[in-house]
């Protein structure tokens, strides 16, 4: 048994079954044995791969969208480029490189990274040292002095959530308990939760309600910062516009899907993002919200096809094949194109974010 599994087991023996949010927080973020605390999980030799690791086009187009918003906003200086959960720093590096096209942007931009993992902070420092990034544990310590340009790619899906299962007209919390062999298993709380989340009254037997107050709190804080300081945030992740009432709690290890209780601390734990809930939380914080739009549509609107053509015309045959395959992976409906979505948040009254239509503002 791993050190983290031992610790979780002891905790369950002392306190009873844990809610899924607590299990996620410990498994991912335990200061010594947590999944993100103890390793770089990305890339071919790791557990999963993300859009910026698939193709540089992703970070470049996101960078150009941020720069276009900055131009549309009257070139505020300084502006603060903020990334939440920057992974290896690849997205920020590609975005900053593309941003060179706008004179004055880089000189006036500060780089702030919100990153919990000491291992990944080292990777980020390697790629981004030239831009003198400053690291933060949370959004709280980011200065409140200048407009924000925020990127969060696959950040919200790792923040904790809780699940409730419909049984005979009531919601029972789904918890993590122990099985006879000392492993982990899901159990339902014996008593219903005193819960009446809006729109959930008619749910069918067995429906699963996923509530992510930690995610909503972060989205609300982000919305408040945008409304006070100005700027835009791009939230890119997998999930739905509305809750789907199915279990989306999942784990990956070595690019394979495994049970979320199989290897705590040694697998990435995530769940789909409820974009509607994030948009409403950001609006409570005072921001405007747009979308979400599917990643394929967003990248096409930002010109991914044109950029691909340009690169292909200069590429050798093998390189062209790699380029085409990576764009396909980012945009195909059976890959990341539809499940991944982009939500934009802005200060109220700010320009419409590039890649969005005014009519896509969330009412
Ligand atoms: N955005 C990157 C990495 C996504 S993985 C990419 O697209 O490749 C999730 C990232 O969020 C990692 O950098 C991880 O260390 C970070 N992270 C996870 N939980 C966090 C938390 N509670 N606070 C800050 N960062 C966190």
């Amino acid at each position: 048994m791993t050190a983290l599994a031992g610790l979780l087991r002891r905790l369950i023996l002392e306190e009873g079954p844990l809610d899924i949010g607590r299990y996620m927080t410990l498994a991912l973020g335990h200061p010594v044995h947590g999944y993100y605390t103890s390793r770089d999980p990305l890339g071919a030799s790791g557990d999963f791969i993300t859009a910026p690791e698939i193709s540089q086009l992703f970070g470049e187009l996101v960078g150009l969208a941020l720069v276009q918003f900055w131009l549309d906003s009257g070139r505020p200086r300084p502006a603060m480029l903020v990334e939440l959960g920057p992974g290896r720093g690849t997205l920020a590096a590609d975005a900053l490189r593309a941003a060179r096209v706008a004179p004055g942007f880089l000189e006036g931009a500060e780089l702030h990274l919100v990153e919990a993992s000491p291992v990944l902070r080292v990777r980020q420092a390697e790629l981004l040292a030239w831009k003198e990034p400053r690291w933060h544990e949370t959004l709280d310590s980011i200065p409140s002095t200048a407009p924000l340009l925020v990127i969060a790619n696959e950040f919200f899906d790792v923040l904790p959530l809780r699940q409730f299962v419909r049984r005979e007209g009531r919601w029972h919390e789904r918890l993590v308990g122990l099985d006879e062999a000392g492993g982990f298993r899901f159990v339902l709380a014996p008593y219903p939760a005193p819960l009446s989340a809006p729109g959930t009254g008619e749910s069918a037997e067995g429906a699963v309600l996923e509530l992510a107050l930690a995610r909503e709190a972060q989205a609300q804080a982000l919305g408040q910062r945008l409304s006070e300081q100005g700027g835009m945030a791009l939230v890119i992740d997998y999930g739905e516009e509305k809750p789907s009432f199915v279990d989306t709690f999942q784990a990956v290890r070595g690019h394979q899907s495994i049970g979320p209780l199989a290897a705590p601390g040694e697998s990435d734990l995530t769940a789909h993002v409820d974009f509607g809930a994030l948009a409403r939380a950001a609006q409570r914080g005072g921001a405007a919200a747009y979308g979400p739009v599917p990643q394929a549509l967003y990248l096409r609107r930002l010109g991914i096809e044109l950029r691909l053509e340009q690169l292909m015309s200069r590429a050798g045959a093998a390189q062209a094949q790699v380029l085409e395959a990576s764009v396909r992976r980012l945009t195909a409906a059976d890959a990341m194109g539809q499940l991944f979505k982009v939500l934009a948040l802005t200060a109220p009254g700010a320009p419409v974010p590039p890649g969005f239509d005014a009519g896509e503002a969330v009412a």
Side-chain angles (χ1 to χ4, degrees):
M1 188 185 291
T2 62
L4 187 74
L7 192 141
L8 289 167
R9 187 168 180 276
R10 227 165 31 247
L11 205 57
I12 295 170
L13 288 171
E14 283 166 12
E15 297 183 11
L18 306 175
D19 70 66
I20 288 174
R22 185 114 183 273
Y23 173 82
M24 274 180 95
T25 299
L26 287 166
L28 296 176
H30 183 276
V32 181
H33 306 297
Y35 177 73
Y36 279 108
T37 328
S38 58
R39 79 200 65 214
D40 171 2
L42 286 148
S45 59
D47 294 312
F48 60 95
I49 191 157
T50 56
E53 302 294 333
I54 291 172
S55 170
Q56 68 182 65
L57 287 179
F58 185 82
E60 289 173 0
L61 289 171
V62 167
L64 291 175
L66 295 177
V67 167
Q68 186 61 52
F69 182 84
W70 176 77
L71 292 170
D72 295 345
S73 308
R75 307 170 192 243
R77 283 167 74 163
M80 294 195 289
L81 193 59
V82 178
E83 189 170 358
L84 309 180
R88 291 179 164 177
T90 310
L91 202 171
D94 293 338
L96 288 169
R97 192 178 56 253
R100 289 208 191 105
V101 296
F105 177 79
L106 280 186
E107 296 81 342
E110 295 174 13
L111 180 59
H112 294 271
L113 305 175
V114 176
E115 176 56 71
S117 163
V119 180
L120 288 173
R121 281 186 185 200
V122 171
R123 300 296 305 254
Q124 293 154 19
E126 286 163 12
L127 269 189
L128 299 166
W130 63 274
K131 193 56 198 147
E132 297 175 353
R134 279 185 268 160
W135 280 273
H136 304 265
E137 287 293 323
T138 66
L139 204 59
D140 282 353
S141 55
I142 288 177
S144 52
T145 44
L148 304 170
L149 297 168
V150 184
I151 310 168
N153 188 59
E154 292 207 39
F155 172 72
F156 280 90
D157 67 75
V158 301
L159 300 180
L161 87 171
R162 289 166 65 176
Q163 287 186 328
F164 301 83
V165 180
R166 195 77 171 169
R167 281 281 180 280
E168 294 170 1
R170 309 275 200 94
W171 293 109
H172 291 254
E173 184 153 17
R174 193 167 182 233
L175 303 166
V176 179
L178 297 175
D179 63 21
E180 276 99 60
F184 302 103
R185 68 178 175 118
F186 288 114
V187 296
L188 280 194
Y191 308 107
L195 182 78
S196 57
T200 63
E202 300 304 306
S203 303
E205 179 77 5
V208 178
L209 174 65
E210 298 189 321
L211 285 184
L213 295 182
R215 299 175 181 184
E216 291 187 28
Q218 296 247 13
Q220 183 168 340
L222 195 54
Q224 191 171 342
R225 284 302 197 105
L226 290 171
S227 74
E228 290 165 3
Q229 291 169 238
M232 168 174 79
L234 294 173
V235 175
I236 310 169
D237 224 311
Y238 44 103
E240 290 77 32
E241 194 166 349
K242 291 188 183 119
S244 49
F245 294 105
V246 298
D247 170 20
T248 73
F249 185 37
Q250 55 191 272
V252 291
R253 183 168 65 177
H255 302 269
Q256 302 287 326
S257 164
I258 63 169
L261 305 186
E266 304 200 327
S267 54
D268 190 30
L269 300 176
T270 68
H272 284 197
V273 166
D274 176 347
F275 283 98
L278 290 192
R280 286 189 297 278
Q283 288 174 323
R284 288 199 292 278
Y290 294 83
V293 299
Q295 176 167 297
L297 178 62
Y298 182 70
L299 293 176
R300 283 195 192 112
R301 285 176 177 177
L302 295 182
I304 196 166
E305 271 144 7
L306 197 67
R307 183 83 179 109
L308 176 64
E309 259 172 51
Q310 283 171 353
L311 292 173
M312 298 268 286
S313 68
R314 283 183 256 133
Q319 208 193 349
Q321 215 171 14
V322 171
L323 273 167
E324 226 173 0
S326 58
V327 168
R328 193 192 170 278
R329 196 155 167 197
L330 294 178
T331 55
D334 61 357
M336 299 173 77
Q338 293 298 321
L339 178 60
F340 281 73
K341 296 176 181 67
V342 187
L343 174 75
L345 310 172
T346 70
V352 175
F356 289 84
D357 191 278
E360 284 161 352
V362 180

